[in-house]
Amino acid sequence: MATNPRGTSKTLVDYAFTVACLVTLIVGIVFVNLDRSLTVRQILSNLGLSLVASVIFAVIFSVLSSRLQEKGLQQSLAASFTHYSQELTATVAQGNSEYLPNALYPPLDPKDGQYGERFNIDMIRSLEETGFYAFRGPSARYVAARLRASNHYPQQVKVAMLSPGDTRAIGRRAADRVYWERFAGKGPQQLEAELRYELIISVVSLFDYRRFCQVDLLYIEDTAVYRYEMFDESVYISWYHGAQSQAKEMPESMRFPANSFLYKTLRLDLTRRFGISNSKVSFTPEQNDDFLATHLAGLLGEPVTQADIDKWRQDYQDHVDDFSTFLESKYRDLRRLA
C-alpha cells in the first residue's frame, strides 16, 4: 500500500520532539540528583520558580513570535498577491491583444466629401509603413484610389473581390444596397447593373496600378458579410450587418493588431486561397491593354475594345473623385502636423 509522504514526515517530527523532551527531562533529573543536600521542598520551590520563569518567557516569546509571524505572513501574502496580480494582468493584456480590437470606428454615409476621418487617418498611417497590403470584400472600388494617394508603395498587393461575371453573387450584394440612402428608389436590376459596372472599373483601376507594384487579383464568391483591408501591423475589418451598419454605405469597423488571433487567421486564409484557387490573375508592368481586354472579355463573356477600356478608366476617375480629394486633404493635414 502506498504511504503518504506528508503523514510520514509529520510522524517523524512528532517522534523527534518526544525524544528531545524525554532526553531533556532525564538530563534535568540527573543534574538535580547531583546535589545531595537539596530537600524535596527546595526542589519543588526551584521547580515553581522555573515554571514562573517559563510562563513569563513563553508569554514574551509568544507575543514576539506572533508579531513576527503576522508580519511574515503579511509580506508573504503581499508578495503572492503581487505575483498573481501581475500574472492576471499579463493574461488579460494578452487576451486583449489576441481577441479584442484596439480601435472602433462608427458607420456613416459619405456626405459632403467625408468618408470617416479617424478611420482613414489611421489607415493612411498603416499604409505608409507597410510592405504588404491586402483587401477582401465584395467590391474593391476604393482600393486603387487609396494606393495611388499614398506616398509609399507596398511591395505586395493582393485583392480578393467579386467577379463582374458572377451574376448570383452580384445579385446578393445588390440586394444589400437597397437600404443605402444614395440608392433610394432604385430597383434590383438597376442596382445589379451598377454594381457590375463598378466591379469592371475596379478591375481596370487595379490593372493600371501594376505600374507601381504587381497586383494579384482573386475572384471569390463573397457573401458580403464583411470586408477587410490588411497591412503588416494591423487589419481593419468592416461588418456590413452590424446593428447600425445595414443602412450605411460605410459600415462599422474594427482594427486588430498583427499578433491577434483574427489577423493571423485571416492572413493565413487569404494566402491559402491565393494558393489553391484557379480564379485569379496577376497584373504586371510588362502587360498592356490587350492583356486587360482579353481578361475582361473572358470574365464578361463579350468582346472588349480599347474604347471600352478608355471609357472605364475615365469613369473610375469620376467615381472616386470625391474620395481621392478627401484623401488628399488628409495627407495635407498629416504633413502639416508633422
Side-chain angles (χ1 to χ4, degrees), residues 73 144 173:
L73 180 60
R173 179 56 181 154

Side-chain angles (χ1 to χ4, degrees), residues 17 19-20 30 67 82 85 88 114 118 141 147-148 152 170-171 173 229 241 285 287 305 311 318 336:
F17 178 75
V19 171
V30 171
R67 290 182 178 179
T82 300
S85 64
L88 178 61
Q114 296 300 310
R118 189 165 61 91
R141 53 182 173 152
L147 293 173
R148 288 187 316 201
H152 166 80
I170 289 174
R173 179 56 181 154
E229 292 184 68
H241 297 272
Q287 295 167 352
T305 65
K311 182 178 186 303
D318 296 339
R336 186 169 60 252

Side-chain angles (χ1 to χ4, degrees), residues 151-298:
N151 297 316
H152 166 80
Y153 301 124
Q155 297 176 357
Q156 285 184 284
V157 173
K158 294 184 178 294
V159 177
M161 57 175 276
L162 291 178
S163 168
D166 190 344
T167 56
R168 294 183 63 183
I170 289 174
R172 173 62 272 175
R173 179 56 181 154
D176 293 334
R177 294 188 171 190
V178 171
Y179 304 101
W180 290 7
E181 183 176 334
R182 71 185 182 97
F183 288 151
K186 294 185 177 181
Q189 291 185 343
Q190 185 177 1
L191 291 175
E192 291 176 18
E194 291 184 4
L195 176 55
R196 179 176 181 270
Y197 196 78
E198 180 183 300
L199 294 172
I200 293 172
I201 63 177
S202 296
V203 173
V204 173
S205 69
L206 293 171
F207 176 80
D208 289 342
Y209 188 75
R210 78 198 187 283
R211 293 172 296 175
F212 305 100
C213 171
Q214 175 176 313
V215 177
D216 297 321
L217 179 57
L218 174 67
Y219 297 109
I220 58 175
E221 294 180 340
D222 194 278
T223 56
V225 174
Y226 68 94
R227 69 165 188 204
Y228 64 77
E229 292 184 68
M230 182 176 289
F231 307 87
D232 282 336
E233 48 82 30
S234 59
V235 59
Y236 295 75
I237 302 176
S238 300
W239 185 23
Y240 288 113
H241 297 272
Q244 301 176 359
S245 296
Q246 287 188 328
K248 301 292 185 180
E249 190 167 341
M250 302 295 175
E252 58 187 276
S253 301
M254 296 158 280
R255 183 182 67 199
F256 291 85
N259 64 333
S260 67
F261 166 79
L262 201 56
Y263 180 97
K264 290 182 283 190
T265 301
L266 292 176
R267 183 154 182 170
L268 179 59
D269 175 75
L270 186 71
T271 301
R272 291 189 173 188
R273 285 181 182 275
F274 269 93
I276 65 177
S277 176
N278 294 321
S279 301
K280 60 186 177 183
V281 63
S282 293
F283 296 144
T284 58
E286 62 272 11
Q287 295 167 352
N288 55 28
D289 284 355
D290 291 338
F291 179 89
L292 177 60
T294 302
H295 175 68
L296 285 173

